[in-house]
């Protein structure tokens, strides 16, 4: 289950004052991209995970998410509960989201170093779950590639294509209920590795 969850990941040599200036410029530009994403009422896109597994991601503000992968796995959230469902094992993870900051802003916040080159952002931190994140955005500041690297060098890459914004998405899509025969694991993200 944890491996399934983890699949959802320019060295600059300047003097210290100049690196700080670049980091601030990167952070300001990154905040503009996050603001653009937060301004959307909804979006839908095709995704490719690590160059192989494909799926469709749907998002509706605030914090509603539904991802259906080509192999039948589902990640779904109504903003309060996050479900991870694998039909092959008939296991459903049910995660309570209270107190969790989500979305792109939650993922990209708290990084000590943020640099930008064109439309590519590089975020690094020694204290975060992902010690490096590379984000490539389109001309209209929508994500094209999100690459996340953990300290153990495990990399998760998500490529986005065919993004449609501010489309009508019903709330029923985000209220996932696993089949009654499923084994439900409560709060799997809270468990120690």
């Amino acid at each position: 289950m944890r491996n399934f969850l983890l699949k959802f990941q320019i060295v600059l040599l300047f003097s210290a004052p100049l690196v700080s200036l670049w980091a601030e410029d990167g952070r300001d530009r990154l905040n503009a991209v996050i603001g653009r994403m937060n301004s959307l009422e909804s979006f839908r896109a095709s995704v490719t995970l690590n160059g192989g597994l494909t799926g469709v991601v749907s998002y509706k503000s605030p914090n509603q998410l539904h991802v259906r992968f080509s192999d039948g796995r589902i990640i779904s959230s109504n903003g309060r509960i996050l479900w991870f469902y694998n039909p092959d094992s008939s296991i459903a993870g049910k995660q309570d989201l209270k107190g969790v900051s989500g979305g792109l802003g939650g993922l990209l916040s708290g990084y000590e170093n943020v640099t930008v080159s064109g439309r590519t952002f590089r975020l690094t931190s020694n204290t975060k779950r992902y010690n490096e994140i590379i984000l490539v955005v389109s001309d209209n500041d929508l994500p094209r590639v999100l690459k996340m690297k953990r300290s153990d060098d495990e990399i998760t890459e998500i490529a986005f294509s065919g993004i449609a914004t501010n489309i009508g998405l019903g709330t029923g899509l985000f209220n996932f209920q696993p089949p009654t025969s499923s084994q439900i694991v409560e709060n799997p993200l809270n468990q120690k590795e």
Side-chain angles (χ1 to χ4, degrees):
M1 176 66 83
R2 188 162 298 280
N3 278 340
F4 175 61
L5 300 176
L6 291 177
K7 293 196 186 303
F8 257 172
Q9 290 240 359
I10 324 172
V11 177
L12 297 174
L13 299 173
F14 293 105
S15 65
L18 194 51
V19 169
S20 177
L21 176 64
W22 274 79
E24 283 305 311
D25 288 344
R27 199 173 324 266
D28 291 343
R29 182 73 182 94
L30 180 62
N31 287 336
V33 169
I34 293 170
R36 166 77 167 118
M37 290 298 298
N38 289 341
S39 74
L40 298 175
E41 176 187 311
S42 62
F43 75 85
R44 178 171 281 153
S46 296
V47 292
T48 303
L49 187 62
N50 292 334
L53 186 63
T54 62
V56 174
V57 61
S58 301
Y59 171 83
K60 184 175 180 178
S61 182
N63 301 321
Q64 297 177 74
L65 175 74
H66 185 87
V67 184
R68 178 178 293 275
F69 290 105
S70 55
D71 65 0
R73 289 184 281 182
I74 294 172
I75 299 172
S76 188
S77 172
N78 60 10
R80 296 178 308 280
I81 301 293
L82 177 65
W83 287 99
F84 306 92
Y85 175 65
N86 185 341
D88 289 342
S89 63
S90 197
I91 294 177
K94 180 182 181 185
Q95 181 70 39
D96 185 355
L97 291 178
K98 63 182 170 194
V100 175
S101 63
L104 192 60
L107 177 66
L108 303 177
S109 67
Y111 280 83
E112 292 90 4
N113 301 303
V114 179
T115 57
V116 62
S117 175
R119 300 230 166 257
T120 301
F121 296 86
R122 181 175 182 255
L123 296 76
T124 58
S125 173
N126 292 326
T127 61
K128 302 286 281 181
R129 178 182 188 118
Y130 298 106
N131 63 349
E132 180 180 41
I133 293 181
I134 304 291
L135 173 66
V136 180
V137 297
S138 65
D139 290 343
N140 57 356
D141 286 341
L142 296 175
R144 294 185 61 208
V145 177
L146 181 64
K147 189 174 185 178
M148 302 167 288
K149 180 180 175 185
R150 293 185 354 168
S151 59
D152 63 3
D153 290 333
E154 181 177 332
I155 297 174
T156 301
E157 182 175 318
I158 305 168
F160 298 84
S161 63
I163 297 177
T165 60
N166 296 326
I167 56 175
L169 296 173
T171 56
L173 176 64
F174 306 101
N175 289 314
F176 177 76
Q177 289 297 315
T180 55
S181 61
S182 300
Q183 175 188 353
I184 296 177
V185 177
E186 296 283 340
N187 296 311
L189 297 178
N190 295 359
Q191 298 176 17
K192 301 285 184 199
E193 289 190 46

